[in-house]
Amino acid sequence: MASSYLFQSSPFSVKLKSVNPRTPNNPDFFHPTTIIKAQAQSQSEPSLVENNSSSPSPPQPVISKHHRRPADENIRDEARRQNVNHSHQFSAKYVPFNADPSCSESYSLDEIVYRSQSGGLLDVQHDMEALKKYDGNHWRTLFDSRVGKTTWPYGSGVWSKKEWVLPEIDSDDIVSAFEGNSNMFWAERYGKQFLGMNDLWVKHCGISHTGSFKDLGMTVLVSQVNRLRKINRPVVGVGCASTGDTSAALSAYCASAGISSIVFLPANKISIAQLVQPIANGAFVLSLDTDFDGCMQLIREVTAELPIYLANSLNSLRLEGQKTAAIEILQQFNWEVPDWVIVPGGNLGNIYAFYKGFHMCKELGLVDRIPRLVCAQAAHANPLYLYYKSGWKEFNPVKANSTFASAIQIGDPVSIDRAVYALKNSSGIVEEATEEELMDAMAQADSTGMFICPHTGVALTALIKLRNSGVIGPTDRTVVVSTAHGLKFTQSKIDYHSKDIKDMACRFANPPTQVKADFGSVMDVLKKYLLSKAPKY
């Protein structure tokens, strides 16, 4: 009896208030143009006009000046009082990925489903006709108006695009750490010194709440789980297989929401810095004597039997958050499209997420083209690269070997079909990096002021190869996506700079110089060093 009780609906579930979101007189009604009009009027700027002039004109929200929030009010209450919650005038649903247009299969996002009836992947499909009622200028202005704000939940880089992400969720149910809005680093010195490029950028998605881009998708997934629990869906926890970053993001967001998280990790295959995060956040961690692919198989079997929500990128909700990094790149370039975007690839959901974000911007008129995408894989785990080199003739999973780029040490990627679709539709390229190449690229980047992860080293290696072959030109605007913070991989950096990696030259190692603690010895060493750095005329 005790076990059966465990799998009942959460005892803390509550009923959602029933509202009619399409009624203009509803005080929670939100029209995306409304905030812009109110802000523009308050700043004496022209307001935006929607494409469909027959649409009802909603009441204007009150945008108050700075005030001291009452002691019993939080930022969610404040947002509700200021009438900036979403009206649910947009919608989204699950559909089979890349299905025939005649396919009628679809599911509500409130259903717990990960595969189509045929066993294929699912995708989140938005009501594009509703979104197209507003032109590209409208969406650009709306998204730009939210950047850097603290208004709940729009200060998040993900939730500032809420209408394109999870439009029907109530803002009260969102679990956010104001993720996103990550640094676009102008890699000026690296580009000029090593590649002869003047327009190279690194999108530091790893400068995030838990130190990786996985936060972008996890805020969406955990928010939806939070909603499911409130409407009494049978969810008692959220689980994932992980090589590190997914588990860190899952455990942090679940801890914030008071939801149990369960993590399957491959034993002795992730860094201590990554392992400690789910432990510190209170996750139930299972260390398994297998690799990531083995963990992935087990979590899929477990979530099919127990009321544990699957959090891996097989779940297409994650990709809705991750696609906002692409939109953010366009924002940071003032809506000018870069020529190339290079993304490290393991389970391959991210390359599709970037494609989806760029394509959505093009379809809705924010930009007129999309960049060419490059997926970069470690040579020790390169099934997509081998598939690409075969001319897309036949895909074969591989046995992933150990790589410093541990988060992409995946031989049988779940999102292989998504990745191929993204690459084919963006004139994309796949490249690979050996262990020595990726570690050298990481060391070179670090020497110019960055502190990147090995996965970014994989992406930079792809850039080096494409630049050397002339595919990427010297003036091409190129963005390399950095997926995790370098501080998670300090041991690999220590080993490299100590020249303590077997069969690796570590050409750019910079170990400490041992010097006697006396003035003369220190002066001799410093003079020699400074002489080596003096300009040569």
Side-chain angles (χ1 to χ4, degrees), residues 435-437 439-440 495-510:
E435 294 302 287
E436 187 155 11
E437 286 172 337
M439 292 298 285
D440 282 347
D495 292 342
Y496 182 92
H497 289 288
S498 302
K499 295 192 173 182
D500 197 24
I501 301 175
K502 185 179 179 181
D503 299 326
M504 188 176 292
C506 303
R507 292 185 298 142
F508 306 105
N510 183 32

Side-chain angles (χ1 to χ4, degrees), residues 93-414:
K93 60 186 177 181
Y94 293 124
V95 297
F97 170 73
N98 198 25
D100 186 273
S102 63
C103 177
S104 61
E105 182 183 353
S106 66
Y107 307 90
S108 164
L109 297 188
D110 289 339
E111 293 188 56
I112 300 174
V113 55
Y114 311 114
R115 292 278 194 180
S116 68
Q117 292 174 359
S118 65
L121 298 169
L122 293 174
D123 199 15
V124 175
Q125 182 184 84
H126 290 262
D127 183 350
M128 298 301 289
E129 291 308 310
L131 293 171
K132 285 178 181 178
K133 290 180 180 178
Y134 309 98
D135 62 18
N137 183 60
H138 163 78
W139 291 115
R140 287 192 300 266
T141 308
L142 177 66
F143 294 160
D144 286 347
S145 75
R146 294 167 171 172
V147 172
K149 304 298 193 303
T150 57
T151 303
W152 183 265
Y154 303 116
S156 159
V158 172
W159 296 108
S160 65
K161 288 87 176 171
K162 182 184 176 190
E163 296 82 2
W164 293 20
V165 174
L166 208 59
E168 294 172 275
I169 193 170
D170 193 287
S171 293
D172 279 0
D173 295 337
I174 289 174
V175 183
S176 173
F178 286 107
E179 51 289 308
N181 296 320
S182 57
N183 179 27
M184 180 73 83
F185 179 85
W186 181 27
E188 179 185 21
R189 185 179 162 208
Y190 183 88
K192 290 180 178 178
Q193 181 174 335
F194 297 112
L195 296 166
M197 298 180 71
N198 67 348
D199 209 357
L200 175 62
W201 302 79
V202 176
K203 176 65 171 168
H204 280 295
C205 293
I207 302 178
S208 188
H209 181 56
T210 70
S212 89
F213 79 96
K214 300 291 178 72
D215 293 348
L216 303 177
M218 207 58 73
T219 180
V220 177
L221 184 140
V222 174
S223 294
Q224 179 64 9
V225 170
N226 199 35
R227 168 180 163 81
L228 293 176
R229 285 161 61 89
K230 288 185 178 182
I231 61 175
N232 295 314
R233 292 291 190 269
V235 177
V236 297
V238 190
C240 74
S242 178
T243 49
D245 289 333
T246 300
S247 64
L250 175 65
S251 60
Y253 283 86
C254 280
S256 178
I259 299 172
S260 297
S261 58
I262 300 98
V263 174
F264 287 16
L265 293 177
N268 304 317
K269 290 184 174 67
I270 69 169
S271 73
I272 295 298
Q274 291 173 299
L275 176 61
V276 75
Q277 288 183 281
I279 291 173
N281 286 135
F284 184 63
V285 179
L286 284 71
S287 181
L288 304 171
D289 186 19
T290 184
D291 57 11
F292 172 82
D293 295 315
C295 289
M296 189 67 224
Q297 179 61 34
L298 283 168
I299 194 68
R300 288 170 61 180
E301 293 173 0
V302 167
T303 53
E305 297 294 328
L306 298 178
I308 298 170
Y309 196 78
L310 180 64
N312 284 98
S313 57
L314 174 64
N315 189 320
S316 51
L317 281 178
R318 287 248 318 266
L319 307 186
E320 292 306 292
Q322 290 167 210
K323 78 182 181 189
T324 62
I327 306 169
E328 200 169 285
I329 286 173
L330 297 176
Q331 277 186 286
Q332 289 171 311
F333 287 134
N334 198 26
W335 302 101
E336 293 182 3
V337 182
D339 299 300
W340 298 89
V341 175
I342 305 175
V343 185
N347 223 7
L348 302 180
N350 212 23
I351 189 72
Y352 175 67
F354 272 84
Y355 169 78
K356 191 173 185 181
F358 288 127
H359 183 264
M360 206 166 176
C361 286
K362 181 176 182 292
E363 187 174 0
L364 290 170
L366 285 76
V367 295
D368 60 2
R369 65 184 181 90
I370 68 172
R372 292 187 69 180
L373 298 178
V374 177
C375 189
Q377 290 208 294
H380 281 189
N382 63 348
L384 179 67
Y385 175 76
L386 297 175
Y387 191 18
Y388 171 77
K389 295 299 285 186
S390 74
W392 304 121
K393 290 179 181 178
E394 183 179 2
F395 174 73
N396 292 301
V398 301
K399 176 67 176 178
N401 295 314
S402 178
T403 170
F404 285 104
S406 58
I408 58 175
Q409 186 178 318
I410 299 169
D412 189 11
V414 167

